[in-house]
């Protein structure tokens, strides 16, 4: 190559590099602290391929507190955050502040379970893409049930008895810190999920698919009376302040026989530094009675782009990468979350690595009434978990609290739900 040609070629390389740098974007992503290291790992390839980089900001580990944080930022039209990790119950409440992802999707939403895409769609706008699906489930100490020859329970009554037997025997054997059952009992969204499971498993409900308030029922009264009876007997009183991570802390330290939680707790309990590695069994949420049904609450988290962000294109690209077959598979393999990409349910690697997928939890889930109550969902859930919290802390009788709750929800529903 002649000197002149060499100079032209070198200049072309410099121009290419500079244009690459000029279009490289630094994105900011808000996510749940527990998921941050896995998201970081999953995005490495995307960062290398695109030249973009991502700064992670940790939200809180309570869905209720994180919603308040996001609402504050979005109401002020803040543009600093590009991507938000969002709970499945928020699209109705946040839709006006989130970018419609359909123009960026190139049909990629069709790879996911249609029902999950529906719950991320508000008035025809795809406001977030599912990162994973969640389903309430039970984890238990397989080794201890075997040790005391106690069968895996099917109903809440059987679970109460199994928890009591194993807890008492373990305490007698010199383990005074042992409890029977932990769950999410703090007054926040997690308690809404637990209480819906109890009530649904007894055949009751909160608000039905037509928007009718059905909470004041014998079934709900019975379910909540049963749950209140656990506190201080098989469940520590501290449960009234437990979110997911506090419950997991007790269970993973080896101090509870059963735990109600979400699939992520399985992968963490199986890590090398976990005292209960290899000792965990998983099962569906129990039934109210033998002919009742198992009722895992439907959860899930997605990724949404802030409408006020200055980086729509790059942010949407990140979202579709992470929620796509490659990103989601990697993420779900590491975290034992349930995928929403349909092909991953048949993926051998996923099935072998993730027993939660095999348990088919997703098939029997109950949704929260977020779609039907729209912008009023937060108020509904708030009233519900406060009433349940009062019952669990023995500050209220189930029947009287449910009557009060029904009256309050009627007032909240005035003028329609949406
Ligand atoms: C889980 C669920 C989410 C739910 C939250 C409650 O993160 O995925 O949908 O709102 O728990 O604590």
């Amino acid at each position: 190559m002649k000197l002149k040609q060499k100079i032209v070629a070198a200049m072309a390389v410099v121009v290419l590099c500079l244009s690459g740098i000029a279009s490289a974007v630094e994105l900011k992503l808000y996510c749940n602290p527990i998921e941050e290291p896995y998201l970081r790992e999953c995005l490495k390839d995307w960062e290398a391929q695109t030249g973009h980089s991502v700064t992670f900001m940790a939200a809180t580990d309570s869905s209720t507190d994180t919603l308040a944080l996001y609402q504050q930022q979005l109401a002020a039209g803040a543009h600093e955050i590009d991507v938000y990790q969002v709970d499945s119950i928020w699209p109705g409440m946040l839709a006006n502040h989130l970018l419609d992802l359909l123009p960026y999707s190139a049909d990629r939403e069709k790879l996911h379970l249609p029902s999950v895409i529906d719950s991320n769609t508000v008035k025809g706008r795809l406001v977030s893409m599912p990162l994973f699906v969640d389903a309430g489930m039970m984890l238990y100490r397989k080794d201890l049930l075997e040790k005391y020859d106690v069968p895996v329970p099917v109903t809440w009554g059987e679970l109460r008895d199994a928890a009591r037997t194993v807890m008492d025997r373990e305490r007698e054997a010199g383990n005074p810190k042992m409890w029977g059952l932990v769950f999410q009992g703090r007054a926040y969204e997690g308690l809404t999920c637990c209480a819906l499971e109890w009530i649904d498993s007894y055949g009751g409900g909160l608000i039905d698919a037509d928007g009718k308030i059905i909470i004041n029922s014998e079934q709900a009264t019975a379910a909540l009376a049963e749950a209140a009876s656990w506190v201080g007997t098989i469940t520590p009183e501290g449960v009234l302040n437990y979110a997911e991570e506090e419950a997991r802390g007790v269970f993973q330290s080896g101090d509870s026989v059963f735990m109600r939680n979400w699939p992520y707790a399985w992968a963490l309990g199986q890590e090398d530094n976990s005292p209960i590695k290899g000792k965990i069994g998983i099962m569906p949420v129990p039934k109210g009675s033998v002919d009742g049904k198992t009722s895992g609450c439907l959860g899930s988290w997605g990724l949404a782009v802030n409408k006020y962000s200055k980086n729509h294109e790059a942010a949407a690209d990140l979202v579709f990468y992470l929620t796509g077959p490659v990103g989601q598979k990697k993420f779900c393999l590491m975290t034992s979350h349930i995928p929403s990409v349909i092909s991953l349910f048949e993926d051998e690697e996923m099935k072998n690595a993730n027993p939660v997928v095999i348990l088919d939890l997703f098939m029997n889930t109950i949704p929260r009434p977020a779609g039907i109550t729209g912008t009023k969902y937060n108020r509904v859930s708030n009233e519900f978990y406060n009433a349940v919290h009062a019952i669990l802390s023995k500050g209220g009788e189930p029947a009287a609290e449910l009557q009060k709750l029904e009256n309050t929800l009627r007032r909240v529903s005035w003028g329609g739900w949406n």
Side-chain angles (χ1 to χ4, degrees), residues 234-413:
I234 55 168
T235 299
E237 284 181 354
V239 82
L240 296 169
N241 208 21
Y242 286 3
E244 282 80 5
E245 280 297 89
E246 286 78 13
R248 186 175 70 83
V250 174
F251 183 73
Q252 200 164 310
S253 309
D255 296 335
S256 182
V257 187
F258 293 92
M259 169 173 70
R260 185 274 175 203
N261 215 315
W262 305 93
Y264 85 99
W266 188 84
L268 293 173
Q270 286 298 107
E271 281 185 352
D272 284 342
N273 61 3
S274 163
I276 54 167
K277 180 178 173 166
K279 300 178 177 168
I280 311 171
I282 56 176
M283 60 183 247
V285 168
K287 302 174 178 186
S289 61
V290 191
D291 50 4
K293 66 197 255 275
T294 63
S295 309
C297 179
L298 175 63
S300 84
W301 287 80
L303 294 173
V305 174
N306 179 1
K307 197 167 89 178
Y308 315 111
S309 147
K310 306 233 182 308
N311 304 306
H312 286 171
E313 194 81 39
D317 194 59
L318 177 153
V319 167
F320 282 103
Y321 174 80
L322 259 186
T323 59
V326 174
Q328 192 177 83
K329 177 172 173 180
K330 194 164 179 185
F331 182 71
C332 288
L333 278 176
M334 283 191 282
T335 55
S336 70
H337 277 308
I338 307 172
S340 59
V341 171
I342 300 162
S343 59
L344 294 182
F345 286 89
E346 296 308 320
D347 185 293
E348 285 308 315
E349 208 184 337
M350 281 291 297
K351 286 207 248 176
N352 292 334
N354 190 342
V356 179
V357 170
I358 301 173
L359 199 59
D360 252 1
L361 285 172
F362 179 69
M363 301 306 160
N364 293 309
T365 47
I366 38 159
R368 282 162 281 174
I372 189 89
T373 57
T375 51
K376 293 186 179 172
Y377 175 74
N378 206 29
R379 179 79 201 283
V380 167
S381 179
N382 204 280
E383 296 293 349
F384 179 55
Y385 63 62
N386 280 324
V388 175
H389 197 264
I391 294 169
L392 293 183
S393 37
K394 322 277 196 278
E397 278 298 311
E401 280 299 322
L402 292 183
Q403 179 64 63
K404 260 198 290 175
L405 177 62
E406 182 185 13
N407 298 342
T408 311
L409 293 180
R410 287 209 185 291
R411 279 197 302 278
V412 177
S413 73

Side-chain angles (χ1 to χ4, degrees), residues 63 87-89 132 134 188-190 193 244 262 299-301 368:
S63 169
D87 197 334
S88 53
I89 48 176
F132 62 87
D134 245 352
Y188 82 121
E189 187 62 29
C193 299
E244 282 80 5
W262 305 93
S300 84
W301 287 80
R368 282 162 281 174

